[in-house]
Amino acid sequence: MSMPENGPATTEEAGTAEAPAEAAPAAAPTAAPTAAPTAAQKDPWSDPRLPWEGKPRTQDILCWAGIVLSGLFYLVLIPWRASLVGTHPVISELLNGSTESIISAAAFARTGHGTLIVALLAAIPGLMKFDAIWWWAGKLWGERIIILLSGKNKRGLRYMDRVRVSGRKFLWPLVVISYFLPIPTAIIYVLAGWEGMRLVTFLILDVIGALLWAGLLCGLGYAIGHPAVDVAKTISHYGLYFTIGLVVVIVFFQMRSMRGSKVSGNAG
């Protein structure tokens, strides 16, 4: 009989058949790795210089457009800023709410050209006209816009930490005295929106702060009187030269800021 001879052969054949089956799982990890995403596949909106994350919503575009237009508004006013101070200070107040225009309007009122109450009230819309846009920016973008506005000094971040700790006890008085502080008021208004302050509350506090600031400047201009009027008229008389000086200063600081950003980018 050939049965004893077939046994070992069968075992060897079975072992040979099982070997590829056992080797198959070991070959699985050798699959080619997934290709890394290329630059073209990255999200084009993931830019740290933008205050929003991802693709902008309609409200993001509208708020950003408001901020850009507010900057263009002040640039367009530069040629007339100096000339209006000594000729139409109340109009200058309404347009830009500048310190010199408020003092000049009150000084003109002291000399019989206009009234003090008009000089005071005209300053309010001039001071507040774009404040709600910054409040909205804080509400929409929160910490991202605060970081962008803080720049190198990170002062906005320090105020943000204080708001986290103290809440409205710190933020409400901060909005009122924002005009008196040596920091951009936009940072404070953004903090108000980020913290969740209601728009009505923000506008009330902002009006109080604007009245206090305009009242101080009007009092100063009214106290100075005629000498302030003479200075304002001199500024208007040489308005072209003041305008050229302002443009030169703005261009200088813009170029320095761009150079600093380029150096930071190369270092990164």
Side-chain angles (χ1 to χ4, degrees):
M1 300 296 290
S2 60
M3 290 296 293
E5 297 177 359
N6 293 340
T10 304
T11 305
E12 292 176 1
E13 292 173 0
T16 305
E18 290 175 1
E22 293 175 356
T30 61
T34 305
T38 62
Q41 294 174 328
K42 293 182 179 179
D43 186 2
W45 297 107
S46 58
D47 191 335
R49 295 171 296 180
L50 296 175
W52 57 78
E53 296 183 15
K55 188 175 181 179
R57 303 161 294 177
T58 301
Q59 53 191 349
D60 294 326
I61 296 174
L62 290 176
C63 187
W64 190 251
I67 292 174
V68 172
L69 290 175
S70 67
L72 292 176
F73 178 84
Y74 286 114
L75 288 177
V76 170
L77 281 181
I78 288 178
W80 293 278
R81 179 168 179 170
S83 60
L84 288 174
V85 169
T87 56
H88 300 85
V90 174
I91 295 178
S92 182
E93 281 185 288
L94 289 170
L95 290 175
N96 57 42
S98 61
T99 299
E100 65 273 13
S101 64
I102 299 173
I103 294 175
S104 177
F108 271 83
R110 173 68 181 273
T111 60
H113 298 84
T115 62
L116 189 60
I117 188 64
V118 170
L120 176 63
L121 296 179
I124 306 306
L127 289 168
M128 293 181 54
K129 57 185 174 296
F130 297 123
D131 295 353
I133 295 178
W134 291 109
W135 171 89
W136 191 23
K139 187 175 181 64
L140 288 176
W141 305 319
E143 295 185 15
R144 289 178 66 94
I145 187 66
I146 296 173
I147 292 173
L148 288 176
L149 291 176
S150 297
K152 296 180 180 179
N153 57 24
K154 306 298 182 183
R155 187 174 296 177
L157 299 179
R158 292 196 293 270
Y159 279 107
M160 188 170 63
D161 292 337
R162 290 288 303 274
V163 171
R164 282 197 181 104
V165 174
S166 304
R168 66 178 60 182
K169 293 181 181 179
F170 174 74
L171 184 60
W172 286 33
L174 188 66
V175 174
V176 172
I177 65 172
S178 59
Y179 294 98
F180 298 85
L181 298 176
I183 64 172
T185 55
I187 293 179
I188 298 174
Y189 304 152
V190 164
L191 284 171
W194 164 76
E195 192 270 343
M197 180 184 292
R198 293 189 305 167
L199 179 60
V200 174
T201 303
F202 169 73
L203 291 176
I204 292 173
L205 296 175
D206 196 18
V207 167
I208 295 172
L211 282 172
L212 292 174
W213 177 246
L216 175 65
L217 296 179
C218 283
L220 178 62
Y222 196 82
I224 297 174
H226 197 275
V229 173
D230 291 339
V231 172
K233 289 182 177 180
T234 302
I235 292 175
S236 294
H237 181 72
Y238 296 100
L240 177 61
Y241 303 104
F242 280 102
T243 299
I244 294 174
L246 283 173
V247 171
V248 170
V249 170
I250 291 173
V251 171
F252 170 77
F253 281 106
Q254 286 293 332
M255 292 180 64
R256 191 175 71 170
S257 176
M258 292 174 62
R259 189 179 297 112
S261 301
K262 188 177 296 184
V263 170
S264 300
N266 294 335

